[in-house]
Amino acid sequence: MEEKYSSNVLSGGKLGMVEVPNSRLTRYIVLLIVSKILKALGIFESYDILKVVHIVQFIFILKFGSAVILLFFQKPFSSGKVISKRQWIKLLKHAVFSCVIYLLGFFGLTLCGPLRTLLLFEHSDVVVIALLGVLFTSSGGGPSKTRGAALFIIAVICLLLFDNDDLMAKMAEHPEGHHDSALTHFLYTAIAFLGVADHKGGVVLLVVSLCLKVGFHTASRKLSVEIGGAKRLYALDNLVSSIVLLPWVIVLSATTESKVESWSSLILPFGMIIFSVMILEFYVEAICSAKMETPRCARYGAIALFLSALLLANFWTHPLTDQLRSMSKPPQQVSTEHVLSGGVLVSAIFFIMSSSILSSPSKKGQKGTLVGYSPEGTPLYNFMGDALQHTSQSLPRFIKDSLKQILEEYDSRQIFYFLCLNLAFTFVELFYGVWTNSLGLISDGFHMLFDCSALVLGLFAALMTRWKATRIFSYGYGRVEILSGFINGLFLMVIAFFVFIESVTRLLDPPNINTDMLTPVSVGGLLVNLVGICAFSHAHSHGGKSCSSHDHGHSHHGHSHSEHSHGGHGHSHGGHSHGSHGHGGHGHSHGSGGGGMNANMRGVYLHVLADTLGSVGVIISTILIRQFGWLIADPICSLFIATLIFFSVIPLLKDACEVLLLRTPPDNEKDLNSALEKIEKIEGVLSYRDPHFWRHSASVIAGTIHLQIMVDVVEQRIIQQVTAILKDAGVNNLSVQVEKEAYFQHMSGLSTGFQEVLAMTQQMESMKYLKDGTCIM
């Protein structure tokens, strides 16, 4: 059960590691894998023996047997310096804490079984320290370590929620038998007080024991320096632990009836457990830690241990293995406890993945970004930017900062408050439904829980829009709100479709409906949703006209030349410059509400509106059924609501699709056409090409344009004028690229196609414009 302290002080670092050729390294990996398989076998055998042997007696036999072997081979008293009285006191405290760790671990084994114990308790210190570093420190190791921590937590949750261990799911019914001592009775009572099944309480106990074990190993490394090495400390620890447990074992033997029929039949199983669990694994880990990197040792060991545990769990109840193990368990007992379940398999896979990720060395700051070359041709790398990109916050700090950002902004604050109200009503509904055994209340509670998921999606989108732009996501995360609105719209359309189909079916054959609990539930839901309607009504009023369906009717005179796309723009050549990005003004102020197109808030609003209409429909149908017995009222109301939801979502999906497809904003289209005509008339501008304008988010309209200008004009003056004109048209994120005549003359020598461009620019000089914008050749 013990994760070993380490071979010496430096065994886990680079200073203490001995370089070994790959051919010899394979031998150590094979040795490590064999030791882990034997340890898994020893834990399974321990589970069977603990059915007939008291847990304290069991630990005493393991400690005493290990101490005898280690005293003979290690010789801790004849080798090394003399141990002082102060060090003996530390050894005594160390041994007592070691006994507590063993007691908690083996008691968890009796509750959860060998497979779950191996999955939860036998993790390397490297893995657990990396996990705690991700959760509680600001330098957790980057995104990869965060993924590993998430997989570890999901694996534990799978064992808690999805592990249907039916044979051990009896609450407060503990067949203690030989475990009827004060200690085990206290542990059983504590688990029963939590109100969970024994094996679920065992999961919590093993997780807590794992954290205590890691802290114990950290203290052991410090003590091993004083004692004279980890091997000497381990031998003395087993000796002192057996002395500490001896009085307890004598009292138990005198006061408790033994369930063992023949102790001689247990000599071989105990010998195998002492060898595989207590002796072999300790020395193999010490050797492998000295010859290999500690992360690699932890990674290979975890994979071998977990896979062997899965195989043993599958074949441990086979008749052949029952015959081989008949000496260590009563023949009348059938070994069917703790069978494999889907939750265990999923958690085993996640544990293997998380151990592999968390035990891998951190690469933060080791990779740089190529920024150029020196005059001598040496590549230059930027390490600071990469390091900044990979820094990660601890989980509590991330939650605290996210909550602060949520409460700072109006939209996210409204979603958060309504989400809390919705969740409160949901749990009240679920609690009352379980209390009264009302299926209607329980089903409506889960429906409200699904609505909360849509609110969580909207809240997360509102939070992500304020995240800072990164090197990879250089535009930031503003478009997440568009995706959130699009996904919420799709959900609503799917819901409306299935409600419509079910309503048609019920319209043909109306079922009987129990209306006893419908009225209070629907009235309560209506009140909650009315609060949401009031909170999110601004989203509907702002975003309702974000997409116009009529044609503006501009003829785009004089723009035909800008539609030609000439291959090889040659932007790297001289004669062009990039304009500044204007972020200052609110471009939507000229766009009749275009800046209010917040698809995320509209999606949340439509979701709340659909729930409100559903509550109204339930109230109306309930009244009609109670007063007149019209069972057909329920499907008719559902048809009306489904149709209304479907058609109300179409504008949201249409607007979101237009934004995702980079369509020119409809509300700004007329202003943009006028702005392009003004740009053509600027003195010194010959023509323009490739005008692109699109809505990036609710408040950002981006654009790019290429200008062909005369040789004798100042580029910055042209860029400033063009930026001001397009800013008035609503574009607040603009890139302008200017190209002088010399650029065309240079390119004409490379491609005959540019002669057409020169001819086009000469033709532009001879054009005349009327007041209405019509051009005359």
Side-chain angles (χ1 to χ4, degrees), residues 62-79:
L62 295 187
K63 290 282 189 179
F64 181 74
S66 303
V68 171
I69 297 174
L70 292 173
L71 286 175
F72 180 76
F73 288 100
Q74 195 65 40
K75 297 181 176 59
F77 293 104
S78 60
S79 62

Side-chain angles (χ1 to χ4, degrees), residues 278-496:
M278 305 293 293
I279 304 297
L280 179 65
E281 197 219 3
F282 173 77
Y283 279 98
V284 170
E285 287 244 353
I287 295 172
C288 293
S289 297
K291 303 298 182 181
M292 300 188 300
E293 299 94 339
T294 302
R296 179 185 290 186
C297 183
R299 186 161 58 252
Y300 289 148
I303 295 174
L305 186 65
F306 296 155
L307 291 180
S308 59
L310 288 173
L311 291 175
L312 287 173
N314 191 32
F315 295 106
W316 195 249
T317 57
H318 193 273
L320 178 61
T321 56
D322 285 341
Q323 294 177 8
L324 295 175
R325 296 178 292 107
S326 59
M327 64 180 69
S328 63
K329 69 176 186 179
Q332 71 275 8
Q333 189 169 0
V334 182
S335 181
T336 57
E337 298 95 336
H338 306 290
V339 294
L340 283 175
S341 64
V344 173
L345 292 176
V346 172
S347 65
I349 295 173
F350 283 172
F351 273 131
I352 292 174
M353 296 171 61
S354 64
S355 297
S356 178
I357 295 173
L358 291 173
S359 61
S360 61
S362 177
K363 297 180 180 180
K364 184 176 75 170
Q366 295 180 359
K367 269 182 143 182
T369 304
L370 180 65
V371 295
Y373 295 89
S374 66
E376 294 80 13
T378 305
L380 303 176
Y381 292 90
N382 177 18
F383 290 89
M384 181 57 67
D386 187 74
L388 292 175
Q389 291 297 329
H390 286 82
T391 54
S392 61
Q393 292 180 332
S394 61
L395 186 61
R397 180 65 180 272
F398 175 75
I399 295 175
K400 179 182 177 181
D401 293 344
S402 300
L403 187 60
K404 182 180 179 181
Q405 292 179 16
I406 288 171
L407 297 179
E408 282 178 351
E409 208 266 340
Y410 178 78
D411 287 345
S412 58
R413 186 169 64 247
Q414 295 295 98
I415 298 177
F416 178 73
Y417 289 155
F418 184 68
L419 175 62
C420 294
L421 178 63
N422 219 14
L423 281 174
F425 183 77
T426 299
F427 287 118
V428 168
E429 205 170 36
L430 287 173
F431 175 78
Y432 191 71
V434 173
W435 186 26
T436 60
N437 198 24
S438 172
L439 182 61
L441 281 176
I442 295 175
S443 60
D444 191 71
F446 280 104
H447 167 254
M448 294 284 289
L449 204 60
F450 175 76
D451 294 337
C452 291
S453 65
L455 292 174
V456 170
L457 178 64
L459 180 63
F460 188 65
L463 177 64
M464 284 187 67
T465 54
R466 294 195 297 279
W467 288 2
K468 295 181 180 179
T470 64
R471 177 171 53 86
I472 299 174
F473 296 95
S474 56
Y475 269 100
Y477 298 87
R479 188 156 287 188
V480 173
E481 64 184 11
I482 308 297
L483 288 175
S484 173
F486 185 76
I487 293 173
N488 266 329
L490 288 181
F491 280 166
L492 286 172
M493 291 196 77
V494 171
I495 293 172

Side-chain angles (χ1 to χ4, degrees), residues 188-210:
Y188 273 124
T189 305
I191 293 175
F193 178 76
L194 296 176
V196 296
D198 283 350
H199 81 282
K200 295 183 184 297
V203 170
V204 178
L205 179 65
L206 288 174
V207 171
V208 174
S209 303
L210 177 63

